[in-house]
Amino acid sequence: MIVLIRDGDRDAAEARALAQAWAGRGLLVFLADRRAARGREPAFISDAAAAIAWAADHAADFGGDASRLGVTGLGAGADAALMIALDRRYMAGRDGLIRAAAALKRPPVAVDDDPTLTRPEAYVRSDAPTIWLGGGQADDALAARIRSVGGRVQFGDRGVSLAFSAADFLLDSLAASPSASDHP
């Protein structure tokens, strides 16, 4: 099962289409919206973390398995998904819940961004779930940072639709039974 975090109104149709396509490939998809306030503020990330926790708590109600949970997002939602997967504060008390994270269409780094608030690059760790990046300027620096600490990162197959490449990654990452080390 995955939680797909939208960027907002501008990607609503794309997010719904992705959710439907991924559901057709066997994934249980929860589509998380964002509050009306603009920007990539930490409140947006906290909201997304709450949506992920809700999805995990209610997975069985929808035929899902919370031990096989991935997160993904579009635009600022991609950064939110990565922040939640990398920054331990967002899923405190739920270590090991997120098994994989994928980011589609990450926004470029703004010069005035405080990386400790909204940028996943500040929270890279070797024991994080495997990260999938769709490619692009923002992704190159993040991938280098993840690799430098011994973390696991994959890039989307540029010869294939990024949406299907992300779905393949998520299906592969979540298909295996979780090991005892995945859930303390």
Side-chain angles (χ1 to χ4, degrees):
M1 65 179 257
I2 62 169
V3 177
L4 170 58
I5 305 165
R6 286 183 20 179
D7 188 15
D9 292 339
R10 64 180 166 247
D11 77 349
E14 182 179 7
R16 279 192 304 276
L18 277 175
Q20 289 172 341
W22 291 349
R25 297 194 69 190
L27 288 164
L28 172 61
V29 183
F30 291 88
L31 185 56
D33 206 346
R34 69 179 289 166
R35 64 174 71 190
R38 300 304 322 157
R40 291 177 289 175
E41 68 284 340
F44 165 49
I45 301 168
S46 293
D47 288 352
I52 292 166
W54 185 92
D57 291 345
H58 293 88
D61 298 342
F62 298 93
D65 179 356
S67 72
R68 294 181 175 159
L69 174 66
V71 297
T72 187
L74 291 163
D79 273 350
L82 295 177
M83 282 291 291
I84 294 163
L86 294 170
D87 184 348
R88 294 180 197 277
R89 294 176 295 177
Y90 289 105
M91 299 310 293
R94 293 180 178 246
D95 292 340
L97 178 65
I98 297 172
R99 300 261 316 271
L104 290 162
K105 301 180 181 180
R106 288 183 67 219
V109 178
V111 175
D112 61 347
D113 271 356
D114 178 350
T116 63
L117 291 178
T118 60
R119 296 303 295 187
E121 289 83 351
Y123 298 96
V124 169
R125 54 192 171 86
S126 62
D127 65 339
T130 302
I131 304 293
W132 181 94
L133 300 169
Q137 188 176 15
D139 291 340
D140 293 338
L142 178 58
R145 178 99 172 87
I146 291 169
R147 288 184 179 122
S148 75
V149 299
R152 299 161 296 175
V153 64
Q154 295 180 23
F155 273 106
D157 182 353
R158 291 186 170 83
V160 178
S161 161
L162 286 179
F164 286 106
S165 183
D168 289 342
F169 163 78
L170 290 164
L171 284 165
D172 290 346
S173 297
L174 303 175
S177 296
S179 68
S181 64
D182 287 339
H183 295 284

